[in-house]
Amino acid sequence: KAGVTQTPRYLIKTRGQQVTLSCSPISGHRSVSWYQQTPGQGLQFLFEYFSETQRNKGNFPGRFSGRQFSNSRSEMNVSTLELGDSALYLCASSDRATNEKLFFGSGTQLSVL
Amino acid sequence: AQKITQTQPGMFVQEKEAVTLDCTYDTSDPSYGLFWYKQPSSGEMIFLIYQGSYDQQNATEGRYSLNFQKARKSANLVISASQLGDSAMYFCAMREENLIFGKGTKLSVKP
């Protein structure tokens, strides 16, 4: 079974631009959640989607948004990028119906210049 | 207040020895899950072990075991027979509505 796939692996943007990150969950998993990891703040929860609906949202500004498609693939968008948005963005999938274990992808390393 | 506390920023262990990574948590929810993840320098978060709050037995997965002491709100990870490939960051996490991570412990295995 293929794992969680995140694309792209690396991304370089400039301030003010917007970016879209993609995540394909493990086949059969309907829950996708996103996390931001920085050296200063550690790992922080962004949001979770289940069956195309946002279930939870972390404490991030409205510039951070996401969505989930009918095939459970998810995208995360960050608009008007700021230097502080430079981070590793991790996506995780789980089968909420049967267990709580989250499986992560390799992440997208975003650098904002 | 921190919900997940990992008090060891870094640890060293000799190859083939066992090591315990500490984790304490704080929650008033009777239903929760506890996780340990490994993050090598490549960045991927690798699931190691899971313990549900209602599980009676301590979780084990190969060389990993979780020493779950509910009354003390403690969920320490024990790695037996350490290998050089175990060198990585280790994160303890708790799931209430979403996953809350500790700051991590950097484990270095010495040959």
Side-chain angles (χ1 to χ4, degrees), chain B residues 6-21:
Chain B
Q6 293 181 253
T7 56
Q8 306 151 314
M11 283 195 73
F12 287 91
V13 64
Q14 201 69 38
E15 192 179 8
K16 299 180 185 176
E17 291 186 348
V19 62
T20 298
L21 306 184

Side-chain angles (χ1 to χ4, degrees), chain B residues 11-81:
Chain B
M11 283 195 73
F12 287 91
V13 64
Q14 201 69 38
E15 192 179 8
K16 299 180 185 176
E17 291 186 348
V19 62
T20 298
L21 306 184
D22 295 341
C23 173
T24 57
Y25 60 93
D26 182 27
T27 182
S28 56
D29 193 335
S31 178
Y32 53 89
L34 296 160
F35 300 77
W36 277 93
Y37 285 89
K38 172 184 176 181
Q39 188 178 42
S41 55
S42 60
E44 182 182 0
M45 295 288 280
I46 301 168
F47 168 79
L48 294 179
I49 197 164
Y50 167 80
Q51 179 87 42
S53 59
Y54 294 119
D55 294 343
Q56 297 296 314
Q57 306 265 31
N58 284 347
T60 60
E61 294 272 358
R63 294 185 301 112
Y64 306 106
S65 60
L66 200 151
N67 184 0
F68 182 44
Q69 298 187 44
K70 196 170 183 177
R72 298 177 63 179
K73 295 190 175 177
S74 165
N76 298 339
L77 175 72
V78 181
I79 306 174
S80 62

Side-chain angles (χ1 to χ4, degrees), chain A residues 5-62:
Chain A
T5 305
Q6 289 188 248
T7 55
R9 185 72 179 91
Y10 300 97
L11 209 46
I12 300 175
K13 293 285 187 179
T14 55
R15 276 183 303 173
Q17 287 187 310
Q18 77 164 21
V19 67
T20 299
L21 312 182
S22 179
C23 173
S24 293
I26 291 171
S27 177
H29 285 188
R30 290 190 291 163
S31 172
V32 174
S33 48
W34 290 87
Y35 292 82
Q36 181 197 63
Q37 186 177 24
T38 59
Q41 299 298 318
L43 282 145
Q44 297 185 88
F45 171 74
L46 280 156
F47 27 66
E48 179 188 7
Y49 288 86
F50 182 80
S51 293
E52 302 179 66
T53 303
Q54 188 179 85
R55 285 176 57 104
N56 288 301
K57 191 176 193 304
N59 189 24
F60 278 82

